[in-house]
Amino acid sequence: MSAEERFTAKPIKRILLKISGESFCPPSERGISMDSVNRLASQIARVASRGTQIAVVMGGGNILRGAQFKASDGASAIQEATAHYMGMLATVINGSALHDALESQGRPTRLMTAIQMDAVAEPYIRRRALRHLEKGRVVVLAGGMGTPFVTTDTAAAQRALELEVDYLFKATKVDGVYSADPNKDPSAVFYPQLTFEDAISQNLRVMDQEAFAKCRDHNMPVLVFNFRIDGNLDRAVRGERVGTLICD
Ligand code: UDP
């Protein structure tokens, strides 16, 4: 059965949801708006309360990305690796906010970090994360992979494989994958479904290349969808066609 048939044929048991930091603030702002976080949390809580197991990989771009400190003329006082660690810490700040927002909506949640910080969160241990998921707890994964020079997209692909999820859901601010940026090019064509090879041959940017290659190599289906539209996550989990599905 193809991933497309699976998508509509059987209920989705477990997903990995990748949330970019930019979902945590209004468009073109930075930082954390608890309105935005609460809206996201209520979508996640709604789906979790119906029995879908959810692990969330949290981004940090609303606070900082390591690459922004890369000075081409060598003028930055912050080493590039240090900047990436700062980015990972940003994901922990976001993860903490999402943790509390989910719990305040009555949804049992665990925050786990790839960089050990005992006073803040549990360390990420795969089997423990699986146990939390089986018990119906939302698992928020922060700190990315715990290593510099990669993004949280790569962490999302890696954890999706480790946690044996049915789909990697990538939440974005547009409706899915287009032939060009729909905000800049009104003739951009929307793709409801693509194969991994289509996306590569047409040079479509779905997620960072390392992450995308991991999903392709292990046949992990990816659904790219617009998280700003309330109810989209719920619709997608129920098998309605939302966003762009990328599978073999
Ligand atoms: N980061 C890292 N290693 C990881 C994950 C993240 O070094 O495993 C750093 C990297 O600098 C990245 C930043 O953390 O730019 C924030 O993550 P990302 O840019 O993926 O956040 P998003 O764009 O999803 O909000």
Side-chain angles (χ1 to χ4, degrees):
M1 193 188 272
S2 72
E4 164 64 15
E5 283 160 344
R6 278 207 311 273
F7 193 78
T8 42
K10 81 170 171 83
I12 295 173
K13 184 178 162 227
R14 182 181 297 159
I15 59 166
L16 185 299
L17 176 65
K18 161 68 210 298
I19 301 180
S20 295
E22 64 185 10
S23 330
F24 269 24
C25 53
S28 72
E29 287 186 24
R30 295 181 70 76
I32 297 180
S33 139
M34 275 320 282
D35 268 359
S36 305
V37 180
N38 284 329
R39 268 200 301 277
L40 285 169
S42 72
Q43 291 207 55
I44 294 168
R46 198 184 319 161
V47 170
S49 70
R50 298 223 186 90
T52 303
Q53 299 176 15
I54 308 185
V56 180
V57 165
M58 202 53 247
N62 55 320
I63 299 173
L64 70 86
R65 291 197 175 93
Q68 78 197 58
F69 289 94
K70 191 173 173 179
S72 50
D73 58 0
S76 175
I78 298 175
Q79 293 173 21
E80 201 175 341
T82 306
H84 287 296
Y85 279 105
M86 291 162 69
M88 287 182 251
L89 296 178
T91 72
V92 179
I93 294 173
N94 284 337
S96 301
L98 182 62
H99 182 201
D100 280 15
L102 282 160
E103 283 198 340
S104 73
Q105 296 186 22
R107 177 50 36 193
T109 304
R110 294 291 184 273
L111 175 64
M112 303 185 108
T113 54
I115 298 174
Q116 207 158 327
M117 328 187 171
D118 294 344
V120 177
E122 291 181 24
Y124 171 74
I125 297 169
R126 175 180 164 267
R127 285 177 188 277
R128 197 183 285 177
L130 286 168
R131 186 90 183 108
H132 288 321
L133 291 168
E134 280 157 7
K135 288 189 162 184
R137 296 167 184 147
V138 175
V139 176
V140 179
L141 299 168
M145 299 289 297
T147 51
F149 300 99
V150 288
T151 68
T152 52
D153 277 1
T154 300
Q158 174 69 29
R159 301 302 184 224
L161 295 171
E162 285 178 32
L163 299 174
E164 296 171 358
V165 303
D166 299 314
Y167 292 90
L168 192 166
F169 278 29
K170 183 172 160 73
T172 65
K173 56 187 174 183
V174 290
D175 289 338
V177 181
Y178 290 80
S179 56
D181 182 347
N183 294 320
K184 293 182 187 151
D185 180 351
S187 66
V189 177
F190 174 75
Y191 298 115
Q193 194 180 345
L194 291 164
T195 64
F196 289 107
E197 294 317 320
D198 288 338
I200 291 166
S201 65
Q202 294 177 49
N203 214 8
L204 303 171
R205 258 195 83 69
V206 176
M207 57 196 338
D208 87 36
Q209 279 182 0
E210 191 180 339
F212 196 68
K214 228 181 237 302
C215 292
R216 180 200 57 195
D217 292 349
H218 298 274
N219 198 13
M220 169 59 63
V222 178
L223 183 81
V224 181
F225 73 107
N226 190 339
F227 214 65
R228 292 199 198 273
I229 299 178
D230 190 39
N232 253 0
L233 178 61
D234 200 21
R235 282 191 278 278
V237 167
R238 282 192 276 127
E240 277 180 43
R241 290 317 316 267
V242 168
T244 302
L245 178 65
I246 302 133
C247 55
D248 270 348

